[in-house]
Amino acid sequence: MLSIQKTILLLDNVHFEEFKLHLKKNNAELPLKLILQIRKDDWKQKESDDLCKDVYGSKDEKSKKKFFQLVHYTFRLTSYLSRNHPSYLTYNISKLEQLINKGELEKANKLAEILLDVSEKIEDFPTAIAVLKYFAQQSYITENKNNSIKFHQRISDLLKYEHITNQMYLYMRQNLNLKGKSALSDKEMEEHLRFYDKYRNHECLSLQMLSRYAYCHTLNYLNDIRFYSQETIDEIDSLMSDLEKNAFVIFSFSDDIQLNVDYLKLKHLIGSMSKDELQKETAFFIKQREPLRFWKNYVNTPEIIYLSIQASYFMTHYGYGYKKDFNENLPKEIKTQIEFYKQKCEEVLAKPIWNEGMHVRFINLNNIYCGFLILGSKSDIKKAVEKLEYLLVNFQQIAFQRLYDALFATLILGYFFLDDTESIQECYKRYEKLTANLNKNVENDLSIKAIYYASQYNSTQRKQYTEKLQGVLTKAAENGKLKHLEHFINDVVSYFNIPIKEIK
């Protein structure tokens, strides 16, 4: 019997229906056809050739080749269950006990055999241990000493795996936490890395992949220069590949290791890729990675980072709403993408997860959302500036000074798009007052100043503002990372015929 047949037989109705809906949602027609046939056959499972004929209408060599590819692929798709319901096999333990208590030993043993096979394959160790205990005790009762010892020895192996997994999580929580040291001596760093590295080639796949993630996570968390090496990105890419190939393997519930590794890759790429390439990478993570369902209850920090990168990209490339009808005339494809990310932000903001300890992240996500809004219609832009004003007024008691420059950069751009000179002037005064003694993000600070000086020149025609705007443009041009800001200022200067020297 194939692994996918065993797995489908072991699913209760709730998990089967959910898996079926998942396949339907993702248009996985042939995997869906296969699992429906397996479910229909129930415990009278067909041989591979006959099952192939049910699915493809033939069992010739060409069809069988496609069939076994489908079988392998469909089993990998059970990753949906492994990641969202890592205990999806557990109910079979109760079913096993019921069969024994009814005197149906043969059925119980058949169930136990396939349950052990699948639980070990997906590394569901609690379930596998429970089945092994059943077989060990049965062997003892039937006076099969050797088998009993063999089962108990296997239980010991799996308990060791469980123990090592817990030790790895314990080590990470103790040594890589927000209140811990952010820098270590070389000796301390090497101790951490050695701890994880010793499980790199472990026979247990989940342990192996968890240790490799923890190793890279340690380098990143403790700002070790080795994190940005080619060796590390190769390791991250290899780990991503292994996670995909072995997606059916169980990890702890509510540990989204796939997302964590995606985040590590993005963090590595931020310093080495252009904004265009970075945007494509984050778009893949947001659109192709189906969020695990437990995230409904929590703030998905990596997702917010991805949305932030998208907002920055679209504002950089399409933040020219001061031009007549510019936003309204954006290409349909761009409008669709912006709308997608707006809705993503709305979905996260609507979740009942924003408790008192999450205010800063809530404010940050609202600013990201407003970044997408100001790329829309006039009503969208007005909604954005109203929302930002509300945040600045109603969250004054919250310490979010680090976000001031980002919020004001979005707000003043919104007013610029609305051609609201009075509000731009007031916005700039508040910004200068609130950030007088703060370290500011250079890009945001120069953007705010450029918009203010351009607006003031447009309304007053005073030479002092052209001189100040020229100074901002020069600073942007001198900074190799602010080419997009330089381009923006040059475009503003050209569009409004501001008499300063463009830098090309």
Side-chain angles (χ1 to χ4, degrees):
M1 196 185 301
L2 300 166
S3 291
I4 188 62
Q5 289 174 290
K6 295 175 183 177
T7 303
I8 298 304
L9 285 176
L10 293 171
L11 296 182
D12 61 14
N13 290 333
V14 171
H15 289 111
F16 177 75
E17 287 300 315
E18 192 164 329
F19 186 44
K20 185 172 78 173
L21 286 173
H22 170 69
L23 296 181
K24 279 185 179 178
K25 179 182 173 183
N26 289 279
N27 299 314
E29 296 179 6
L30 283 174
L32 178 62
K33 186 176 182 180
L34 174 62
I35 70 160
L36 288 173
Q37 185 60 52
I38 292 170
R39 196 70 169 184
K40 179 182 176 183
D41 294 337
D42 200 29
W43 284 90
K44 296 179 180 177
Q45 286 297 302
K46 297 182 176 74
E47 293 298 323
S48 299
D49 283 5
D50 293 325
L51 188 55
C52 173
K53 187 174 182 180
D54 285 337
V55 175
Y56 287 102
S58 172
K59 51 184 177 181
D60 58 26
E61 287 305 311
K62 186 177 179 180
S63 297
K64 284 197 287 186
K65 183 178 179 180
K66 289 191 293 184
F67 173 74
F68 284 111
Q69 289 173 337
L70 173 66
V71 164
H72 179 71
Y73 175 63
T74 307
F75 185 70
R76 277 180 56 194
L77 292 179
T78 62
S79 60
Y80 173 80
L81 296 171
S82 296
R83 290 170 174 170
N84 288 287
H85 304 281
S87 299
Y88 71 89
L89 294 178
T90 306
Y91 103 103
N92 287 285
I93 301 301
S94 177
K95 186 176 177 182
L96 177 61
E97 292 166 354
Q98 292 171 37
L99 288 171
I100 287 294
N101 290 335
K102 288 194 295 185
E104 299 183 35
L105 181 62
E106 187 177 344
K107 284 185 179 179
N109 282 349
K110 186 174 182 181
L111 172 64
E113 285 168 5
I114 70 166
L115 182 57
L116 180 60
D117 182 63
V118 175
S119 60
E120 290 225 52
K121 188 176 184 67
I122 68 172
E123 300 192 358
D124 175 3
F125 297 137
T127 300
I129 288 167
V131 180
L132 287 164
K133 286 180 179 179
Y134 164 74
F135 278 131
Q137 194 60 21
Q138 184 181 84
S139 297
Y140 172 75
I141 292 170
T142 58
E143 299 184 4
N144 190 333
K145 174 188 169 185
N146 290 339
N147 269 355
S148 182
I149 291 171
K150 180 184 72 175
F151 289 127
H152 280 296
Q153 286 173 334
R154 183 57 180 161
I155 290 169
S156 292
D157 290 339
L158 300 191
L159 286 171
K160 284 178 189 173
Y161 299 166
E162 287 276 88
H163 177 70
I164 294 170
T165 299
N166 186 63
Q167 286 300 108
M168 273 204 278
Y169 279 113
L170 175 61
Y171 198 91
M172 276 193 281
R173 304 305 177 247
Q174 285 179 327
N175 296 290
L176 304 175
N177 60 75
L178 294 174
K179 296 180 180 179
K181 294 189 288 185
S182 59
L184 299 178
S185 67
D186 290 344
K187 182 180 178 182
E188 289 174 312
M189 173 64 86
E190 292 311 314
E191 284 177 2
H192 287 350
L193 297 178
R194 274 198 303 271
F195 177 83
Y196 301 122
D197 206 37
K198 62 188 175 185
Y199 302 113
R200 170 182 297 276
N201 298 312
H202 200 280
E203 61 181 337
C204 168
L205 284 171
S206 57
L207 269 177
Q208 183 188 118
M209 291 188 285
L210 182 61
S211 71
R212 290 161 63 197
Y213 160 69
Y215 187 96
C216 296
H217 172 56
T218 301
L219 292 174
N220 170 54
Y221 194 90
L222 297 173
N223 300 311
D224 191 285
I225 193 170
R226 284 172 289 180
F227 178 73
Y228 294 99
S229 69
Q230 185 61 44
E231 184 180 5
T232 299
I233 192 62
D234 289 344
E235 176 68 279
I236 291 171
D237 285 337
S238 173
L239 180 54
M240 290 176 77
S241 175
D242 287 344
L243 282 166
E244 288 287 347
K245 284 189 291 187
N246 303 290
F248 50 83
V249 169
I250 296 282
F251 288 93
S252 297
F253 182 59
S254 73
D255 181 18
D256 194 346
I257 190 168
Q258 179 95 58
L259 183 68
N260 292 338
V261 175
D262 285 350
Y263 170 70
L264 287 180
K265 179 166 185 180
L266 182 64
K267 181 76 179 292
H268 191 285
L269 296 178
I270 282 174
S272 61
M273 297 183 83
S274 69
K275 284 203 170 186
D276 287 359
E277 293 171 314
L278 200 57
Q279 188 269 339
K280 290 176 184 177
E281 285 288 336
T282 53
F284 171 80
F285 292 147
I286 293 173
K287 294 181 178 180
Q288 303 301 319
R289 302 289 199 214
E290 185 175 1
L292 299 190
R293 297 178 64 184
F294 76 86
W295 280 118
K296 293 177 182 178
N297 306 280
Y298 307 104
V299 178
N300 186 336
T301 304
E303 184 178 40
I304 293 176
I305 293 169
Y306 301 157
L307 288 169
S308 174
I309 290 170
Q310 292 297 321
S312 174
Y313 172 82
F314 281 96
M315 288 176 72
T316 297
H317 286 74
Y318 305 102
Y320 295 89
Y322 51 84
K323 297 181 179 180
K324 184 175 174 58
D325 300 327
F326 181 85
N327 289 1
E328 288 81 356
N329 294 324
L330 284 174
K332 184 178 179 181
E333 179 188 349
I334 300 303
K335 283 186 175 181
T336 300
Q337 290 184 57
I338 292 170
E339 187 62 32
F340 171 83
Y341 292 118
K342 272 170 52 182
Q343 290 176 5
K344 270 287 179 183
C345 291
E346 288 168 357
E347 287 170 14
V348 182
L349 288 167
K351 292 180 181 179
I353 55 178
W354 301 102
N355 58 48
E356 289 186 6
M358 301 291 179
H359 281 147
V360 175
R361 278 188 271 185
F362 177 75
I363 294 167
N364 183 41
L365 180 57
N366 268 285
N367 188 43
I368 294 167
Y369 175 48
C370 290
F372 290 117
L373 282 174
I374 66 171
L375 301 177
S377 63
K378 292 296 182 186
S379 61
D380 278 341
I381 299 171
K382 288 176 182 176
K383 179 179 177 181
V385 298
E386 287 170 4
K387 185 176 283 291
L388 290 167
E389 292 285 10
Y390 173 86
L391 292 171
L392 287 165
V393 171
N394 289 276
F395 286 86
Q396 291 182 62
Q397 74 280 13
I398 304 299
F400 66 98
Q401 290 87 343
R402 290 177 63 186
L403 295 179
Y404 277 159
D405 56 80
L407 286 168
F408 277 105
T410 308
L411 180 59
I412 202 168
L413 189 61
Y415 284 133
F416 193 46
F417 289 178
L418 293 172
D419 194 23
D420 188 342
T421 304
E422 186 178 337
S423 293
I424 290 173
Q425 188 172 6
E426 178 60 29
C427 179
Y428 182 72
K429 287 179 181 178
R430 287 157 61 204
Y431 165 71
E432 286 292 297
K433 181 180 178 180
L434 288 170
T435 63
N437 299 311
L438 300 176
N439 289 325
K440 292 171 274 192
N441 176 281
V442 175
E443 180 179 355
N444 289 333
D445 186 58
L446 292 178
S447 297
I448 291 167
K449 285 179 165 60
I451 291 168
Y452 172 66
Y453 297 147
S455 172
Q456 285 299 102
Y457 175 79
N458 287 342
S459 63
T460 68
Q461 302 293 300
R462 291 179 185 170
K463 184 180 178 182
Q464 69 187 75
Y465 294 114
T466 62
E467 292 172 350
K468 290 182 177 181
L469 185 57
Q470 183 76 65
V472 172
L473 178 56
T474 301
K475 286 181 181 179
E478 289 171 349
N479 189 325
K481 294 183 178 180
L482 298 181
K483 289 296 180 186
H484 54 284
L485 178 56
E486 179 190 343
H487 175 78
F488 172 80
I489 297 171
N490 277 326
D491 194 82
V492 168
V493 167
S494 174
Y495 185 76
F496 291 107
N497 295 312
I498 300 174
I500 72 170
K501 184 179 179 182
E502 291 188 34
I503 298 175
K504 298 180 181 179

